[in-house]
Amino acid sequence: MRVSVVALGKIGLPLAVQFAAKGHQVVGVDINQKFVDLVNAGQEPFPGEAHLQELLAETVADGRLRATTDYADAIPNSDAVVVVVPLFVDEKTGEPEFGWMESATRSLSEHLSPGTLVSYETTLPVGTTRNRWKPMIEEISGLTEGTDFHLVFSPERVLTGRVFADLRKYPKLVGGLSEEGAKRAIAFYEAVLDFDERPDLPRANGVWDLGSAEASELAKLAETTYRDVNIGLANQFARFAGQNGIDVHAVIEASNSQPYSHIHRPGIAVGGHCIPVYPRLYLWTDPEATVVRAAREANAAMPDYTIGLLEGAFGDLKGAKVVVLGAAYRGGVKETAFSGVFPAVEALKARGAEVSVHDPLYTDEELQGLGFTPYTLGTPVDAAVLQADHAEYAQLTPAELPGVKVLVDGRDRTDPARWAGVRRIVIGRSVSQ
Ligand SMILES: NC(=O)c1ccc[n+]([C@@H]2O[C@H](COP(=O)([O-])OP(=O)(O)OC[C@H]3O[C@@H](n4cnc5c(N)ncnc54)[C@H](O)[C@@H]3O)[C@@H](O)[C@H]2O)c1
């Protein structure tokens, strides 16, 4: 098959490589010339994706994969076009911003040939494939969906860093606008993916047809929104437990020893591109989803609550030197999208603290670029708030934070044995601990 992949980012590039490694002729199209040049040179444009470099070098060298910035070069006569251009959400209103995706859709529509399957993999609000992309593609291309071309939605469920393994592990969900479109999508994904055996699933691992584009859109929003709601519940238990002398971490471990309980971990913040964002995409089409809204609000309130714990233990924070440990949204990942560091720093500044930020993955210049005052271990400080669960912080001792009187560990990452003599507060543990 001749396959085009639109956007060669952290998801699109491994997908293009996967399709080429399965023996298909793949062209990736991206507006970033630097990425395109690197891909054509067989060099990965970003680090951290297992097996990407070797498979990219191999597939480019034997002519199965190439990249271009020119849609006219990539799209015509494709058997399938896979779109993974990101969608953004307005930080304040939660409204989706379709700009990048619309521009990509316009460009691909201008060059679409009859007979092509178009599959969107970017997480979308329910109804977007049918109500936004179908009319747009039809109008610009002059072709009719269901006869001249087929349109489906197939969410990407992988995690960056382990895309190739996850592509084998999880069923590939598809949903079309017609039976024929779904059939084409099943045939396409069966030809470009391999699947691990999963005896734990109710049906064989492989391509699963959900019956409609809407069901497929909802499946991705549901699996991610579930996690935000679950964390919201864990955070409520943690707040209650902390106030009542109960260790919520021991409680959760005990509850989850029964197979129907899967309570997630409470913490200072839910960050990253996905989990805090997708519930808002869901709420956009279901504003009456009170459970989802309440959980999102509960999670969004956690950074300020955590700083409140510090204030309660330390006293007035006016003029106090406080370091936030971890700019990344989670440990081991150099990514600050929707990271808890931003609201935590804001909440500290609102209380008059002098705030600095430490992160082993970021240089001082990078931290400054994010608007923070960088902190170097060994500099005197009055208090610390652990925001990201970097592995390094498990070994952290008060000696590295000279003068520290209170540590609020927002991720239960530090080692209590190393913190003897310093007031150490963990979310969900008794505040007197
Ligand atoms: N990153 C993840 O962990 C993850 C996991 C599962 C699903 N997804 C889904 O994949 C989508 C893409 O995420 P990503 O991490 O690959 O994004 P990314 O930021 O790594 O890459 C986006 C790419 O899109 C390109 N681009 C922008 N506008 C374009 C256009 N008009 N035409 C062609 N290319 C264009 C950019 O140049 C960039 O290379 C997300 O929105 C999400 O729905 C992401």
Side-chain angles (χ1 to χ4, degrees):
M1 280 188 297
R2 198 185 130 89
V3 183
S4 314
V5 176
V6 179
L8 295 173
K10 289 186 280 298
I11 299 298
L13 181 57
L15 279 183
V17 165
Q18 163 73 29
F19 303 160
K22 283 288 286 179
H24 303 283
Q25 207 58 42
V26 182
V27 185
V29 56
D30 199 293
I31 51 170
N32 184 335
Q33 183 72 53
K34 211 174 109 204
F35 268 35
V36 165
D37 292 344
L38 282 167
V39 169
N40 284 331
Q43 281 170 22
E44 59 179 11
F46 46 82
E49 186 55 56
H51 311 296
L52 180 60
Q53 180 53 56
E54 67 227 52
L55 288 170
L56 174 67
E58 196 183 302
T59 48
V60 169
D62 66 16
R64 278 174 288 166
L65 174 64
R66 65 185 178 86
T68 177
T69 55
D70 184 6
Y71 277 79
D73 177 18
I75 304 295
N77 304 317
S78 295
D79 294 295
V81 176
V82 170
V83 186
V84 257
V85 178
L87 174 73
F88 299 98
V89 173
D90 184 282
E91 285 206 28
K92 291 209 166 66
T93 65
E95 296 222 348
E97 292 175 347
F98 290 102
W100 281 28
M101 291 205 76
E102 281 184 357
S103 150
T105 301
R106 226 170 274 126
S107 305
L108 81 87
S109 303
E110 283 163 8
H111 301 285
L112 195 64
S113 304
T116 304
L117 169 78
V118 181
S119 177
Y120 280 78
E121 295 209 6
T122 306
T123 308
L124 296 173
V126 174
T128 307
T129 306
R130 189 185 305 270
N131 302 325
R132 187 175 287 264
W133 304 141
K134 176 178 175 266
M136 196 173 194
I137 300 171
E138 285 186 331
E139 195 194 321
I140 297 168
S141 69
L143 302 173
T144 305
E145 201 283 331
T147 50
D148 300 330
F149 74 98
H150 290 284
L151 179 59
V152 298
F153 180 73
S154 178
E156 197 41 76
R157 311 166 72 201
V158 297
L159 284 198
T160 51
R162 52 177 218 213
V163 171
F164 296 104
D166 283 356
L167 283 172
R168 303 179 62 96
K169 205 185 295 171
Y170 307 142
K172 187 70 178 131
L173 309 180
V174 298
L177 303 184
S178 68
E179 239 175 72
E180 179 58 23
K183 244 167 69 187
R184 297 267 186 110
I186 293 168
F188 167 67
Y189 282 112
E190 282 179 347
V192 295
L193 299 174
D194 293 304
F195 294 96
D196 293 337
E197 277 208 26
R198 289 276 307 270
D200 58 309
L201 296 175
R203 21 199 287 225
N205 194 6
V207 185
W208 290 10
D209 178 10
L210 291 201
S212 70
E214 288 74 15
S216 185
E217 288 163 340
L218 180 56
K220 170 75 185 190
L221 293 175
E223 74 191 24
T224 47
T225 299
Y226 158 78
R227 289 171 59 194
D228 199 45
V229 170
N230 190 323
I231 296 165
L233 184 63
N235 279 332
Q236 290 205 323
F237 289 151
R239 291 172 73 142
F240 174 78
Q243 279 150 17
N244 288 280
I246 302 167
D247 179 346
V248 84
H249 300 271
V251 168
I252 291 173
E253 197 178 285
S255 298
N256 289 354
S257 67
Q258 192 255 32
Y260 301 104
S261 177
H262 307 277
I263 305 168
H264 290 3
R265 286 158 54 92
I268 180 171
V270 179
H273 279 296
C274 303
I275 306 304
V277 173
Y278 297 155
R280 303 177 78 180
L281 287 186
Y282 176 70
L283 283 164
W284 195 57
T285 50
D286 185 6
E288 281 162 29
T290 51
V291 173
V292 176
R293 191 177 300 283
R296 184 84 295 276
E297 282 168 6
N299 292 338
M302 284 306 286
D304 192 66
Y305 166 78
T306 307
I307 302 309
L309 289 180
L310 174 65
E311 193 178 31
F314 185 90
D316 189 0
L317 288 168
K318 202 153 187 239
K321 290 188 179 62
V322 183
V323 57
V324 176
L325 299 166
Y329 83 89
R330 70 175 161 96
V333 174
K334 195 174 177 184
E335 175 62 70
T336 55
F338 296 93
S339 171
V341 73
F342 301 107
V345 166
E346 212 172 285
L348 283 164
K349 283 190 173 162
R351 289 164 171 87
E354 276 179 39
V355 193
S356 54
V357 175
H358 175 265
D359 194 301
L361 298 179
Y362 289 80
T363 64
D364 286 357
E365 291 70 38
E366 286 170 332
L367 290 173
Q368 272 160 351
L370 290 164
F372 303 132
T373 304
Y375 174 82
T376 309
L377 292 176
T379 313
V381 74
D382 298 312
V385 177
L386 189 144
Q387 194 286 129
D389 52 349
H390 288 308
E392 291 88 338
Y393 292 150
Q395 270 84 49
L396 194 73
T397 65
E400 290 164 282
L401 304 174
V404 66
K405 292 176 199 68
V406 181
L407 165 75
V408 177
D409 185 339
R411 305 278 181 187
D412 193 18
R413 188 59 167 158
T414 53
D415 176 3
R418 292 171 195 258
W419 284 83
V422 172
R423 185 88 184 270
R424 176 178 168 275
I425 297 167
V426 176
I427 291 174
R429 295 232 162 95
S430 170
V431 286
S432 64
Q433 224 178 335

